[in-house]
């Protein structure tokens, strides 16, 4: 998630400057990166009874897949969903599902958010710009989305 946030800052440098100008945006910046990059992309479930989803009948015992990454970019929910915006409201009951939700939410998400927010706060105080020092390398997995490496250069403020 920290890598995803740094990747977003690299791709959207104007957002880094907004964050530096207003450090209170740190929490939103981290959550918006989770929404845009969605570390958990898919989740499988088995129906325990017949269900109806968007008008489709799903029998009991069927395997279904949810696409959390797609939900986090659904234009019916998010204005300009492919844009990273540190001022966007992404938390709360109508926020992103990048770490799942309800009883299936990631138990480590609060600790991860705290770590990410602390790092972003420290960087915002000392780093004027973030530049690419090479190409990002994705770590491919059917369920998780992450980075194998993100070569960056941090320029002093």
């Amino acid at each position: 998630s920290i890598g995803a946030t740094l990747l977003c800052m690299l791709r959207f440098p104007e957002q880094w400057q907004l964050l530096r100008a207003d450090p209170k945006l740190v929490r939103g910046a981290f959550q918006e990166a989770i929404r845009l990059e969605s570390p958990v992309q898919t989740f499988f479930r088995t129906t325990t009874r017949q269900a109806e989803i968007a008008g489709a009948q799903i029998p009991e015992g069927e395997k279904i897949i949810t696409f959390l990454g797609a939900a986090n970019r659904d234009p019916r929910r998010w204005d300009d969903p492919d844009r990273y915006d540190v001022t966007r409201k992404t938390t709360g009951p109508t926020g992103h599902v990048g770490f799942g939700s309800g009883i299936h939410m990631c138990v480590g998400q609060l600790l991860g958010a705290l770590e990410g927010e602390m790092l972003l706060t420290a960087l915002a105080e000392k780093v004027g710009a973030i530049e690419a020092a090479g190409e990002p390398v994705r770590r491919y997995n059917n369920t998780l989305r992450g980075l194998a490496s993100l070569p960056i250069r941090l320029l002093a403020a």
Side-chain angles (χ1 to χ4, degrees):
S1 300
I2 290 171
T5 305
L6 291 173
L7 179 62
C8 287
M9 294 299 180
L10 181 64
R11 290 178 47 216
F12 300 90
E14 74 286 355
Q15 298 299 305
W16 176 247
Q17 295 310 318
L18 281 175
L19 177 64
R20 290 194 66 236
D22 185 0
K24 291 183 297 222
L25 295 173
V26 164
R27 176 164 291 159
F30 186 77
Q31 293 297 325
E32 174 70 347
I34 301 304
R35 180 199 67 80
L36 189 67
E37 289 292 316
S38 295
V40 178
Q41 289 286 303
T42 59
F43 220 77
F44 294 89
R45 288 285 178 255
T46 304
T47 57
T48 58
R49 63 183 182 281
Q50 182 174 330
E52 182 180 324
I53 301 174
Q57 294 297 318
I58 313 295
E60 177 182 343
E62 287 295 312
K63 298 285 184 196
I64 61 171
I65 184 172
T66 60
F67 289 89
L68 304 179
N72 284 335
R73 291 189 182 209
D74 185 343
R76 294 171 296 180
R77 167 61 182 94
W78 307 99
D79 292 330
D80 198 5
D82 295 328
R83 182 175 59 87
Y84 177 70
D85 178 0
V86 298
T87 65
R88 188 189 310 262
K89 175 112 173 88
T90 57
T91 57
T94 60
H96 70 75
V97 290
F99 283 132
S101 67
I103 63 169
H104 298 290
M105 74 175 216
C106 172
V107 296
Q109 74 173 305
L110 297 177
L111 178 59
L114 178 62
E115 290 174 339
E117 291 167 23
M118 290 175 64
L119 177 66
L120 278 180
T121 299
L123 289 174
E125 291 174 3
K126 301 191 180 301
V127 174
I130 301 171
E131 293 181 348
E135 288 296 317
V137 176
R138 293 265 181 206
R139 183 173 308 239
Y140 292 103
N141 182 295
N142 290 338
T143 300
L144 303 175
R145 178 180 175 130
L147 294 162
S149 68
L150 179 64
I152 60 173
R153 187 173 14 267
L154 303 175
L155 304 176

